[in-house]
Each structure stands twice: as C-alpha cells, then as structure tokens.
C-alpha cells in the first residue's frame, strides 16, 4: 500500500492564525523567556462565550455558562472570562481563591469536585454555590454553616447512574455524583434543613459524548426536579456539566484516512505509523484487530456550542420531545460547564528544536520540552505542529519524524505517532503546537529532572494593529491589549 504522508493539520481560526504569522515576535519571546513557552489569547474567550449564549437564545433558554477552571492555570484567561457574563466552576480550594481574586463575584462561582473542609468553608463563607456528590458532603456543609452562623448556601446535588430505555449504554461508571438508590436520604435532609441549604436544582456527570445518554440524563433530571418540588423544595435549574468537546483538526477526511491507515499498520498490511508498534489501544491477533482505539475524536462534526445545539434538539427517550422544549415546558433553566470548549483557539505552545537526528533509520526531532509540557498524547489528541523556521527563505522540504522530549526517559515522546511535517525543521526553529490552552499546556506540567516548565504570556493586538504581550499574571482586562 502507499506510504504518502498522513498530515493531520490543525484547525486554526482568526486571531490564532494572526499570531502565528508573527514569527519574529514569537521567536523573540522564546529567546527571552525560554522553551517551552505558552502563548494565550485572552480576547478570544468572549467570542466563545457568546457562541454558547447564541444557542441559548435560539432555544429561548436561560441559565449560567460556567467555565471549568481545571482546564487551564492561566490567570489571563480567567480574568478575561471574569469580564464576560460567564461563571466559573472551581474544583479545589486554590481554584476558588484564584477565581475570587480574578474578579468573579461569589454568586458566579460553583464549587465542584472532591471537597475538603477548608474548601467547603470558603465556598460557604463567600457565598458560592456547591455541587453535592454525597450525603456525607451535605452533612459536612450543613455543619459548617451551623458552626459559623453562615447564610443558607445554594446547593446542586449531582446525580449519576441513570437508566436508559434505549440501546445499551457505554458510559463508564463515574466516581462523582449520587446514584438513584442513595438519593432519598439526601432529599430528606435537603427538605429538613431548608433553613441551612437552598436546593437550586440538580445536575449530572457523565463520562461520555453520547447524545442519547446525555438526553436520557437531562430528561431524568427534569423528572427529579418535579419530585423535589413535591417535597416542598423550589429547584429551577438543571446543570448538565461539560463534555462539549473541540474540533482540533482542519479536515475530517484526513482523520478518517489516518485512523484507517493506523488499523492497517497494526495489522501489518502497511508500514508502521508509530514507534515500536504502539497501537493506541489496538492490537492484532491472528490477522484480526482487537481492542478499542483510545484516541480523542479530534475531527468532530459537532463540538462546543454546536454540540449543545444538537443536544437540545435531541428528543428525550421517555417524553419524546426535544430537550429544549422539555426545559421550557417545565420552567427549568439550563446551566453548563464547558472547559476546553471555552478555550478553543485561545492558545498555543512553542518548543524550540534542539536536535534533528536519526536512530535505526528513523528521523527523531528533539525539542526543548517534554510530553508533560505539551500533553496532547496523554489526552489522545493527534494533531501536527507547525514549523516556524528561523530562516523563512529556507527551502521547505517535507519530512516524517518522531518528536521526542528533553527527559532522560525512553518513553518521553511528545507523540508515539510518526508525524508528517511540511517543512523539515533545523536546530533553533520553533514547533508551534496549536490549541493547547484547554488541558494541554499546563495541566500536567512539572519539574521532572529539574527541567523548566513553560512560562505563559498573554498576547493581544492593539488598536493600531500591532501585537503586544505581557506575562500571564500581569494581564488584566482594564489594560486592554496588554500593558
């Protein structure tokens, strides 16, 4: 079979493409601040929030768009979001402190995830809302409110373990949420202690992108609201969490072509596409493919706000009506918690090329970064970096190579995939990994072998059309296009 390069070009829109055209600026930033370097675009977040809100308007719904703060450590992006209508979902004590210090009023903050007593105390003391994942968590919160004489806290029990009346579901069991069998005691305590906690609604957590499963869960939440109302509570919101996704690739057809070729390579009917036969979950047994492809669907046809739009148009399995209609008929608001989807096209990571060499006949490109600095591989996202040459006049010659990092570890591959590049890099050139702001730039970064972690800078274009930058912590919305 043919061995033509299998390009997986990144999807690049608007301001991010303009930033990539500033090769001299980017090279100067890496020279001054080191490699790797994260570059974020705070001005893009407002457009992403507006795209989600447009779906609400189309379906005539109300509710809060909470940013899942765990997706990024960037202060610039969080402060830019604070300047919009968005709320923020925080999953730790320090995330809560960061959000409050970045400009979010407590009424726009939702405390989620595993909770310590200090985390619950600050949430209750400040006036943030709290997702409840268990009866023990509810009891702990009630104790804190009573012990410190605090006002009632707005709470949202999070549910899991939904039944589906249609086809077999593929949702993996979740460690978060309250199963149906455990909900009764939680409801009884919410009713008994209405003086301490205010049940504003219910939510769910599902580890799936299946529209059918999410539709069943949303419909079940609306039914649960009716049960709570009959018990004397006044809930009015359903929080459907996140999982809206991002489209990372420019061409869906190229993704289909690559996954087909990967299957053929695992079977041995074409040359290998990965280092030492890495199959991304696939394996060959007696001429047959086994296993499950463990890759993110990087070329989704519906992602971010378009996924929400499609979900709201999906009929519920029991009532048979579109979910937005079900919400409107029952006077229910819709809250969501997108993470990466609100950071789509909001950043990139630059890595300087340290060496271009060969091992066992394979081209290896070593960069001044490692797999934890640019963690596409850990998230199952396959996408090509762009080569930013120091000498733009150098002839562009394509190559296929493996990208390796700066750790003294055999497994420090930025990706196990043979990457097709349209321009062979030289030492000192930059590789630009696009759309890393959500989860893939600083989520896993650490100081292994005392290697430096990336500095983060914010960039924006001024009214005069020139690009300006500042350190991430220096950015504030009042400064406009950075100081």
């Amino acid at each position: 079979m043919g061995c033509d390069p299998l390009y997986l070009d990144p999807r690049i829109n608007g301001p991010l493409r303009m930033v990539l055209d500033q090769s001299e600026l980017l090279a100067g930033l890496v020279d001054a601040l080191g490699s790797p370097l994260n570059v974020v675009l705070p001005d893009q977040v407002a457009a992403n929030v507006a795209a989600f809100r447009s779906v609400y308007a189309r379906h005539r719904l109300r509710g809060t768009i909470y940013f899942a703060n765990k997706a990024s450590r960037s202060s610039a992006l969080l402060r830019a979001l604070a300047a919009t209508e968005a709320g923020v979902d925080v999953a730790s004590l320090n995330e809560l402190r960061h959000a409050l210090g970045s400009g979010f009023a407590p009424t726009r903050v939702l405390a989620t995830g595993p909770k310590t007593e200090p985390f619950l105390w600050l949430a209750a003391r400040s006036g943030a809302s709290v997702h409840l994942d268990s009866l023990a968590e509810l009891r702990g919160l009630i104790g804190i409110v009573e012990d410190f004489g605090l006002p009632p806290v707005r709470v949202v029990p999070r549910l899991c373990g939904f039944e589906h009346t249609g086809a077999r579901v593929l949702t993996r069991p979740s460690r978060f949420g309250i199963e149906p069998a455990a909900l009764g005691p939680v409801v009884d305590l919410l009713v008994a202690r209405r003086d301490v906690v205010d049940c504003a609604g219910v939510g769910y957590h599902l580890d799936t992108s299946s529209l059918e499963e999410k539709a069943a869960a949303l419909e079940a939440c609306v039914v649960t609201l009716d049960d709570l109302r009959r018990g004397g509570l006044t809930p009015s919101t359903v929080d459907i969490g996140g999982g809206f996704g991002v489209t990372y690739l420019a061409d869906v057809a190229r993704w289909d072509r690559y996954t087909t070729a990967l299957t053929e390579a695992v079977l041995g009917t074409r040359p290998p596409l990965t280092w030492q036969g890495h199959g991304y979950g696939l394996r060959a047994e007696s001429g047959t493919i086994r296993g499950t492809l463990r890759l993110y669907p990087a070329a989704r046809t519906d992602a971010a706000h378009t996924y929400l739009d499609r979900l709201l148009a999906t009929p519920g399995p029991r009532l048979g009506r579109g979910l937005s209609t079900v919400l409107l008929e029952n006077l229910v608001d819709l809250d969501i918690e997108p993470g990466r989807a609100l950071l789509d096209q909001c950043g990139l990571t630059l890595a300087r090329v340290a060496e271009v060499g060969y091992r066992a006949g394979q081209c290896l490109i070593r960069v001044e970064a490692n797999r934890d600095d640019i963690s596409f591989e850990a998230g199952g996202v396959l996408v090509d970096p762009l080569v930013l040459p120091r000498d733009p006049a150098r002839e562009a010659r394509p190559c296929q190579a493996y990208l390796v990092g700066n750790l003294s570890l055999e497994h420090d591959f930025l990706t196990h995939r043979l990457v097709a590049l349209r321009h062979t890099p030289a030492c000192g050139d930059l590789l630009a990994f696009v759309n890393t702001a959500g989860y893939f730039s600083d989520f896993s970064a650490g100081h292994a072998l005392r290697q430096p972690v990336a500095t983060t800078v914010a960039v924006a274009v001024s009214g005069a059309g020139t690009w300006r930058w500042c350190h991430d912590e220096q950015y504030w919305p009042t400064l406009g296009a950075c100081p």
Side-chain angles (χ1 to χ4, degrees):
M1 299 192 66
C3 301
D4 294 336
L6 295 169
Y7 293 108
L8 294 177
D9 297 313
R11 174 178 145 266
I12 310 171
N13 293 335
L16 192 55
R17 181 171 294 283
M18 294 167 61
V19 170
L20 287 164
D21 289 337
Q22 307 301 311
S23 56
E24 289 188 12
L25 170 64
L26 297 179
L29 287 173
V30 172
D31 288 343
L33 302 173
S35 171
L37 179 72
N38 295 325
V39 180
V40 297
L41 288 78
D43 290 349
Q44 178 63 30
V45 298
N48 293 346
V49 173
F52 273 99
R53 183 55 70 189
S54 69
V55 176
Y56 277 75
R58 184 156 49 253
H59 292 272
R60 296 175 294 142
L61 294 173
R62 300 186 307 174
T64 302
I65 302 168
Y66 291 102
F67 166 60
N69 192 28
K70 63 185 177 183
S72 174
R73 301 182 202 175
S74 168
S75 293
L77 294 175
L78 190 62
R79 292 166 186 168
L81 280 159
T84 72
E85 61 159 291
V88 62
D89 149 22
V90 295
S92 72
L93 173 63
N94 284 334
E95 280 196 352
L96 174 55
R97 295 167 65 184
H98 191 202
L100 295 173
S102 294
F104 284 92
T107 53
R108 297 167 61 196
V109 178
L110 177 64
T112 70
K115 302 176 190 70
T116 60
E117 282 193 349
F119 185 17
L120 279 175
W121 179 86
L122 185 57
R125 174 69 274 180
S126 63
S129 301
V130 177
H131 256 172
L132 296 173
D133 282 320
S134 68
L135 179 61
E137 201 167 88
L138 174 58
R139 286 172 174 162
L141 179 60
I142 290 172
I144 288 172
V145 174
E146 288 183 323
D147 290 347
F148 291 90
L150 302 178
V153 175
R154 183 180 183 271
V155 298
V156 180
R158 186 156 56 169
L159 312 180
C160 67
F162 297 95
E163 295 183 357
H164 194 292
T165 58
R168 181 173 66 93
V169 300
L170 301 177
T171 305
R172 293 183 290 270
S174 174
R175 56 180 285 220
F176 301 109
I178 303 166
E179 293 183 327
L183 185 57
V186 173
V187 173
D188 292 342
L189 190 53
L190 288 170
V191 172
R193 299 312 313 268
R194 281 175 289 182
D195 59 322
V196 176
V197 287
D198 173 22
C199 182
V202 297
Y204 67 68
H205 179 81
L206 290 181
D207 188 11
T208 181
S209 60
S210 165
L211 285 168
E212 291 75 17
E213 293 175 56
K214 289 193 174 187
L218 197 160
E219 189 180 62
C221 283
V222 174
V223 173
T224 301
L225 289 188
D226 287 338
D227 295 338
L228 295 177
R229 288 165 177 165
R230 283 191 288 270
L233 300 175
T234 57
S236 60
T237 296
V238 169
D239 185 336
I240 64 173
F244 300 97
V246 163
T247 296
Y248 289 97
L249 298 182
D251 190 335
V252 173
R254 288 187 184 275
W255 174 250
D256 294 338
R257 180 187 175 206
Y258 181 84
T259 53
T260 298
L262 177 63
T263 302
E264 294 169 350
V266 172
L267 282 171
T269 58
R270 66 163 293 148
L273 293 176
T274 58
W275 183 259
Q276 295 184 354
H278 186 83
Y280 291 106
L282 301 180
R283 65 186 187 278
E285 291 183 3
S286 303
T288 302
I289 283 290
R290 303 291 186 188
T292 301
L293 188 63
R294 298 191 184 100
L295 291 175
Y296 185 90
R300 297 173 58 160
T301 53
D302 287 307
H305 63 284
T306 60
Y307 181 92
L308 175 63
D309 191 33
R310 189 174 171 191
L311 175 62
L312 292 173
T314 301
R318 283 193 283 180
L319 300 177
R321 297 193 297 282
L323 294 175
S324 60
T325 300
V326 171
L327 291 169
L328 287 168
E329 289 175 345
N330 288 272
L331 304 178
V332 175
D333 293 341
L334 178 72
D335 291 350
I336 60 175
E337 302 167 29
R340 73 180 80 201
L342 284 184
L343 300 184
D344 187 23
Q345 303 293 304
C346 287
L348 59 95
T349 301
L350 300 170
R352 185 163 46 213
V353 174
E355 179 185 6
V356 180
Y358 291 85
R359 301 288 188 280
Q362 301 285 355
C363 181
L364 270 63
I365 298 173
R366 178 166 59 86
V367 299
E368 296 176 28
N370 59 64
R371 63 177 189 160
D372 293 328
D373 298 316
I374 305 158
S375 55
F376 276 138
E377 181 86 352
V381 173
L382 303 186
V383 59
D384 295 339
L386 304 179
V387 178
L388 304 183
R390 292 283 179 157
D391 178 10
R394 193 175 74 233
E395 180 184 359
R397 293 183 296 105
C399 73
Q400 298 185 70
Y402 292 100
L403 307 181
V404 298
N406 59 9
L407 299 182
S408 182
L409 298 170
E410 286 286 356
H411 59 260
D412 186 23
F413 282 76
L414 273 67
T415 175
H416 288 89
R417 175 176 63 94
L418 185 65
V419 176
L421 299 174
R422 299 180 186 277
H423 200 308
T424 303
C427 291
D429 287 351
L430 300 181
L431 296 187
F433 296 83
V434 176
N435 218 358
T436 56
Y439 289 112
F440 300 126
S441 59
D442 58 21
F443 189 82
S444 301
H447 287 280
L449 278 66
R450 301 189 67 82
Q451 292 285 9
V453 297
T455 297
T456 299
V457 299
V459 298
V461 65
S462 69
T466 58
W467 284 91
R468 304 175 67 183
W469 70 274
C470 63
H471 284 282
D472 184 72
E473 285 292 339
Q474 293 177 316
Y475 176 89
W476 291 94
T478 56
L479 298 175
C482 299

